[in-house]
Amino acid sequence: MNTKHIVLVALTTMALAARGQVTVNFDNTVLSGNFTPVTNPYIELGYSFTAQNTGNCNFIDGTSYGYPLSYNNTDFLLSQGNVFTIVKSGGGTFSFDSVAIGEMNTVGRTITIQGYVGAAQVANLSYTTTAGNGFSGGPAGWGFVNMTSGFSDVDKVTVSLGTMGYAAEFDNFTFSPVPEPSTLALVALAGTGLLHFRRRRV
């Protein structure tokens, strides 16, 4: 395999990895009415969501009660004082990149998001929601949260609201696959080949 071929293969591999990012947005999950209980676990695009108490975790249509409640006017996940866990449905590590979080009450509350590798907690983020009126008076207050670097290689994420009865919305969870060691080795090899190629041209 010549240098140009190595570089081409590596660039193609990196491009495919970049395209591996997915957004879980719960669209088309509400079959009828405003509420549909979470199916435990709920799986979309290869990521599994498990609610600790499905009675406090529901899918809701984005235009419930005549208000544009969701981040993108479609379906979203409503959690009321619940804890839910996110894993890759086939197992393995992933990068949790971002999420849209909406406030369903009139006072901001803190949501705790934690990342794990096995039993070890490796990342923690606390987010205080933007005050909004939610169901009672119009659109909820939404915030788009970019996760910290600690969430870039985890095998489990937990999201906790802490207080029962307090509700928050979640939409547009964005995840990326973590490159396998063989992919990283190929990229390193391509970098070496590219450097060698440039030296030969000088």
PDB file of all heavy atoms in Angstrom, residues 60-81:
ATOM      1  N   ILE A  60     -44.113  13.269  25.027  1.00  0.00           N
ATOM      2  CA  ILE A  60     -45.186  14.244  24.850  1.00  0.00           C
ATOM      3  C   ILE A  60     -45.083  14.874  23.469  1.00  0.00           C
ATOM      4  O   ILE A  60     -43.983  15.167  22.987  1.00  0.00           O
ATOM      5  CB  ILE A  60     -45.136  15.336  25.939  1.00  0.00           C
ATOM      6  CG1 ILE A  60     -45.339  14.698  27.315  1.00  0.00           C
ATOM      7  CG2 ILE A  60     -46.182  16.410  25.693  1.00  0.00           C
ATOM      8  CD1 ILE A  60     -45.410  15.697  28.444  1.00  0.00           C
ATOM      9  N   ASP A  61     -46.226  15.075  22.860  1.00  0.00           N
ATOM     10  CA  ASP A  61     -46.278  15.722  21.562  1.00  0.00           C
ATOM     11  C   ASP A  61     -45.858  17.183  21.690  1.00  0.00           C
ATOM     12  O   ASP A  61     -46.189  17.865  22.661  1.00  0.00           O
ATOM     13  CB  ASP A  61     -47.698  15.626  20.995  1.00  0.00           C
ATOM     14  CG  ASP A  61     -47.800  16.276  19.639  1.00  0.00           C
ATOM     15  OD1 ASP A  61     -47.261  15.719  18.681  1.00  0.00           O
ATOM     16  OD2 ASP A  61     -48.397  17.353  19.556  1.00  0.00           O
ATOM     17  N   GLY A  62     -45.139  17.678  20.670  1.00  0.00           N
ATOM     18  CA  GLY A  62     -44.575  19.023  20.739  1.00  0.00           C
ATOM     19  C   GLY A  62     -45.585  20.153  20.764  1.00  0.00           C
ATOM     20  O   GLY A  62     -45.245  21.275  21.115  1.00  0.00           O
ATOM     21  N   THR A  63     -46.825  19.884  20.391  1.00  0.00           N
ATOM     22  CA  THR A  63     -47.827  20.954  20.387  1.00  0.00           C
ATOM     23  C   THR A  63     -48.945  20.646  21.383  1.00  0.00           C
ATOM     24  O   THR A  63     -50.089  21.041  21.181  1.00  0.00           O
ATOM     25  CB  THR A  63     -48.412  21.150  18.983  1.00  0.00           C
ATOM     26  OG1 THR A  63     -48.927  19.899  18.510  1.00  0.00           O
ATOM     27  CG2 THR A  63     -47.333  21.636  18.023  1.00  0.00           C
ATOM     28  N   SER A  64     -48.627  19.956  22.467  1.00  0.00           N
ATOM     29  CA  SER A  64     -49.621  19.632  23.484  1.00  0.00           C
ATOM     30  C   SER A  64     -50.278  20.893  24.025  1.00  0.00           C
ATOM     31  O   SER A  64     -49.616  21.910  24.242  1.00  0.00           O
ATOM     32  CB  SER A  64     -48.955  18.877  24.642  1.00  0.00           C
ATOM     33  OG  SER A  64     -48.430  17.655  24.197  1.00  0.00           O
ATOM     34  N   TYR A  65     -51.571  20.813  24.240  1.00  0.00           N
ATOM     35  CA  TYR A  65     -52.340  21.923  24.815  1.00  0.00           C
ATOM     36  C   TYR A  65     -52.261  23.194  23.985  1.00  0.00           C
ATOM     37  O   TYR A  65     -52.492  24.288  24.479  1.00  0.00           O
ATOM     38  CB  TYR A  65     -51.877  22.214  26.244  1.00  0.00           C
ATOM     39  CG  TYR A  65     -51.906  20.997  27.121  1.00  0.00           C
ATOM     40  CD1 TYR A  65     -50.728  20.386  27.534  1.00  0.00           C
ATOM     41  CD2 TYR A  65     -53.111  20.430  27.537  1.00  0.00           C
ATOM     42  CE1 TYR A  65     -50.754  19.250  28.331  1.00  0.00           C
ATOM     43  CE2 TYR A  65     -53.141  19.296  28.328  1.00  0.00           C
ATOM     44  CZ  TYR A  65     -51.959  18.714  28.715  1.00  0.00           C
ATOM     45  OH  TYR A  65     -51.984  17.580  29.492  1.00  0.00           O
ATOM     46  N   GLY A  66     -51.896  23.059  22.723  1.00  0.00           N
ATOM     47  CA  GLY A  66     -51.856  24.221  21.848  1.00  0.00           C
ATOM     48  C   GLY A  66     -50.600  25.051  21.973  1.00  0.00           C
ATOM     49  O   GLY A  66     -50.464  26.072  21.322  1.00  0.00           O
ATOM     50  N   TYR A  67     -49.636  24.621  22.809  1.00  0.00           N
ATOM     51  CA  TYR A  67     -48.399  25.377  22.993  1.00  0.00           C
ATOM     52  C   TYR A  67     -47.242  24.685  22.272  1.00  0.00           C
ATOM     53  O   TYR A  67     -47.127  23.456  22.321  1.00  0.00           O
ATOM     54  CB  TYR A  67     -48.038  25.495  24.477  1.00  0.00           C
ATOM     55  CG  TYR A  67     -49.061  26.208  25.307  1.00  0.00           C
ATOM     56  CD1 TYR A  67     -49.608  25.602  26.428  1.00  0.00           C
ATOM     57  CD2 TYR A  67     -49.473  27.494  24.977  1.00  0.00           C
ATOM     58  CE1 TYR A  67     -50.547  26.266  27.216  1.00  0.00           C
ATOM     59  CE2 TYR A  67     -50.412  28.152  25.747  1.00  0.00           C
ATOM     60  CZ  TYR A  67     -50.945  27.540  26.864  1.00  0.00           C
ATOM     61  OH  TYR A  67     -51.870  28.199  27.622  1.00  0.00           O
ATOM     62  N   PRO A  68     -46.370  25.438  21.621  1.00  0.00           N
ATOM     63  CA  PRO A  68     -45.177  24.832  21.008  1.00  0.00           C
ATOM     64  C   PRO A  68     -44.141  24.560  22.089  1.00  0.00           C
ATOM     65  O   PRO A  68     -43.242  25.351  22.331  1.00  0.00           O
ATOM     66  CB  PRO A  68     -44.710  25.912  20.023  1.00  0.00           C
ATOM     67  CG  PRO A  68     -45.169  27.196  20.629  1.00  0.00           C
ATOM     68  CD  PRO A  68     -46.467  26.883  21.342  1.00  0.00           C
ATOM     69  N   LEU A  69     -44.272  23.408  22.747  1.00  0.00           N
ATOM     70  CA  LEU A  69     -43.467  23.160  23.930  1.00  0.00           C
ATOM     71  C   LEU A  69     -42.078  22.608  23.648  1.00  0.00           C
ATOM     72  O   LEU A  69     -41.163  22.796  24.443  1.00  0.00           O
ATOM     73  CB  LEU A  69     -44.204  22.174  24.846  1.00  0.00           C
ATOM     74  CG  LEU A  69     -45.526  22.673  25.443  1.00  0.00           C
ATOM     75  CD1 LEU A  69     -46.237  21.530  26.151  1.00  0.00           C
ATOM     76  CD2 LEU A  69     -45.266  23.809  26.414  1.00  0.00           C
ATOM     77  N   SER A  70     -41.908  21.880  22.570  1.00  0.00           N
ATOM     78  CA  SER A  70     -40.650  21.180  22.386  1.00  0.00           C
ATOM     79  C   SER A  70     -39.581  22.070  21.769  1.00  0.00           C
ATOM     80  O   SER A  70     -39.844  23.171  21.282  1.00  0.00           O
ATOM     81  CB  SER A  70     -40.844  19.944  21.508  1.00  0.00           C
ATOM     82  OG  SER A  70     -40.905  20.316  20.153  1.00  0.00           O
ATOM     83  N   TYR A  71     -38.375  21.539  21.785  1.00  0.00           N
ATOM     84  CA  TYR A  71     -37.235  22.273  21.232  1.00  0.00           C
ATOM     85  C   TYR A  71     -37.392  22.478  19.733  1.00  0.00           C
ATOM     86  O   TYR A  71     -36.980  23.482  19.196  1.00  0.00           O
ATOM     87  CB  TYR A  71     -35.952  21.499  21.542  1.00  0.00           C
ATOM     88  CG  TYR A  71     -34.685  22.204  21.133  1.00  0.00           C
ATOM     89  CD1 TYR A  71     -34.266  23.352  21.800  1.00  0.00           C
ATOM     90  CD2 TYR A  71     -33.908  21.728  20.087  1.00  0.00           C
ATOM     91  CE1 TYR A  71     -33.107  24.000  21.431  1.00  0.00           C
ATOM     92  CE2 TYR A  71     -32.746  22.359  19.718  1.00  0.00           C
ATOM     93  CZ  TYR A  71     -32.345  23.500  20.393  1.00  0.00           C
ATOM     94  OH  TYR A  71     -31.193  24.141  20.029  1.00  0.00           O
ATOM     95  N   ASN A  72     -37.998  21.505  19.052  1.00  0.00           N
ATOM     96  CA  ASN A  72     -38.139  21.611  17.599  1.00  0.00           C
ATOM     97  C   ASN A  72     -39.583  21.366  17.150  1.00  0.00           C
ATOM     98  O   ASN A  72     -39.818  20.918  16.041  1.00  0.00           O
ATOM     99  CB  ASN A  72     -37.195  20.619  16.911  1.00  0.00           C
ATOM    100  CG  ASN A  72     -37.396  19.202  17.409  1.00  0.00           C
ATOM    101  OD1 ASN A  72     -38.264  18.953  18.241  1.00  0.00           O
ATOM    102  ND2 ASN A  72     -36.591  18.276  16.906  1.00  0.00           N
ATOM    103  N   ASN A  73     -40.543  21.646  18.047  1.00  0.00           N
ATOM    104  CA  ASN A  73     -41.971  21.511  17.755  1.00  0.00           C
ATOM    105  C   ASN A  73     -42.401  20.093  17.388  1.00  0.00           C
ATOM    106  O   ASN A  73     -43.368  19.895  16.667  1.00  0.00           O
ATOM    107  CB  ASN A  73     -42.396  22.473  16.639  1.00  0.00           C
ATOM    108  CG  ASN A  73     -42.446  23.907  17.130  1.00  0.00           C
ATOM    109  OD1 ASN A  73     -42.563  24.151  18.326  1.00  0.00           O
ATOM    110  ND2 ASN A  73     -42.326  24.855  16.217  1.00  0.00           N
ATOM    111  N   THR A  74     -41.679  19.110  17.888  1.00  0.00           N
ATOM    112  CA  THR A  74     -42.066  17.718  17.678  1.00  0.00           C
ATOM    113  C   THR A  74     -42.090  17.039  19.044  1.00  0.00           C
ATOM    114  O   THR A  74     -42.269  17.683  20.059  1.00  0.00           O
ATOM    115  CB  THR A  74     -41.109  17.017  16.706  1.00  0.00           C
ATOM    116  OG1 THR A  74     -39.766  17.199  17.159  1.00  0.00           O
ATOM    117  CG2 THR A  74     -41.242  17.596  15.301  1.00  0.00           C
ATOM    118  N   ASP A  75     -41.911  15.737  19.069  1.00  0.00           N
ATOM    119  CA  ASP A  75     -42.010  15.013  20.335  1.00  0.00           C
ATOM    120  C   ASP A  75     -40.765  15.221  21.201  1.00  0.00           C
ATOM    121  O   ASP A  75     -39.683  15.506  20.695  1.00  0.00           O
ATOM    122  CB  ASP A  75     -42.196  13.515  20.078  1.00  0.00           C
ATOM    123  CG  ASP A  75     -43.410  13.235  19.212  1.00  0.00           C
ATOM    124  OD1 ASP A  75     -44.281  14.124  19.135  1.00  0.00           O
ATOM    125  OD2 ASP A  75     -43.486  12.152  18.628  1.00  0.00           O
ATOM    126  N   PHE A  76     -40.951  15.041  22.510  1.00  0.00           N
ATOM    127  CA  PHE A  76     -39.825  15.166  23.433  1.00  0.00           C
ATOM    128  C   PHE A  76     -40.053  14.244  24.622  1.00  0.00           C
ATOM    129  O   PHE A  76     -41.122  13.652  24.781  1.00  0.00           O
ATOM    130  CB  PHE A  76     -39.639  16.612  23.898  1.00  0.00           C
ATOM    131  CG  PHE A  76     -40.828  17.203  24.614  1.00  0.00           C
ATOM    132  CD1 PHE A  76     -40.980  17.064  25.987  1.00  0.00           C
ATOM    133  CD2 PHE A  76     -41.793  17.906  23.908  1.00  0.00           C
ATOM    134  CE1 PHE A  76     -42.078  17.619  26.651  1.00  0.00           C
ATOM    135  CE2 PHE A  76     -42.894  18.462  24.555  1.00  0.00           C
ATOM    136  CZ  PHE A  76     -43.031  18.314  25.929  1.00  0.00           C
ATOM    137  N   LEU A  77     -39.046  14.122  25.463  1.00  0.00           N
ATOM    138  CA  LEU A  77     -39.133  13.300  26.662  1.00  0.00           C
ATOM    139  C   LEU A  77     -39.384  14.196  27.862  1.00  0.00           C
ATOM    140  O   LEU A  77     -38.650  15.157  28.082  1.00  0.00           O
ATOM    141  CB  LEU A  77     -37.826  12.524  26.866  1.00  0.00           C
ATOM    142  CG  LEU A  77     -37.760  11.615  28.094  1.00  0.00           C
ATOM    143  CD1 LEU A  77     -38.716  10.436  27.948  1.00  0.00           C
ATOM    144  CD2 LEU A  77     -36.334  11.097  28.299  1.00  0.00           C
ATOM    145  N   LEU A  78     -40.443  13.900  28.632  1.00  0.00           N
ATOM    146  CA  LEU A  78     -40.749  14.638  29.851  1.00  0.00           C
ATOM    147  C   LEU A  78     -40.407  13.756  31.048  1.00  0.00           C
ATOM    148  O   LEU A  78     -40.867  12.620  31.145  1.00  0.00           O
ATOM    149  CB  LEU A  78     -42.237  15.002  29.907  1.00  0.00           C
ATOM    150  CG  LEU A  78     -42.706  15.634  31.229  1.00  0.00           C
ATOM    151  CD1 LEU A  78     -42.162  17.052  31.351  1.00  0.00           C
ATOM    152  CD2 LEU A  78     -44.229  15.635  31.307  1.00  0.00           C
ATOM    153  N   SER A  79     -39.589  14.274  31.936  1.00  0.00           N
ATOM    154  CA  SER A  79     -39.222  13.534  33.144  1.00  0.00           C
ATOM    155  C   SER A  79     -39.660  14.338  34.357  1.00  0.00           C
ATOM    156  O   SER A  79     -39.428  15.537  34.443  1.00  0.00           O
ATOM    157  CB  SER A  79     -37.706  13.312  33.183  1.00  0.00           C
ATOM    158  OG  SER A  79     -37.329  12.595  34.339  1.00  0.00           O
ATOM    159  N   GLN A  80     -40.303  13.642  35.295  1.00  0.00           N
ATOM    160  CA  GLN A  80     -40.784  14.286  36.514  1.00  0.00           C
ATOM    161  C   GLN A  80     -40.085  13.688  37.730  1.00  0.00           C
ATOM    162  O   GLN A  80     -40.445  12.627  38.202  1.00  0.00           O
ATOM    163  CB  GLN A  80     -42.300  14.115  36.635  1.00  0.00           C
ATOM    164  CG  GLN A  80     -43.077  14.801  35.533  1.00  0.00           C
ATOM    165  CD  GLN A  80     -44.558  14.541  35.644  1.00  0.00           C
ATOM    166  OE1 GLN A  80     -45.028  13.434  35.436  1.00  0.00           O
ATOM    167  NE2 GLN A  80     -45.305  15.575  35.985  1.00  0.00           N
ATOM    168  N   GLY A  81     -39.060  14.362  38.198  1.00  0.00           N
ATOM    169  CA  GLY A  81     -38.333  13.898  39.374  1.00  0.00           C
ATOM    170  C   GLY A  81     -37.698  12.545  39.196  1.00  0.00           C
ATOM    171  O   GLY A  81     -37.467  11.814  40.167  1.00  0.00           O
TER     172      GLY A  81
END
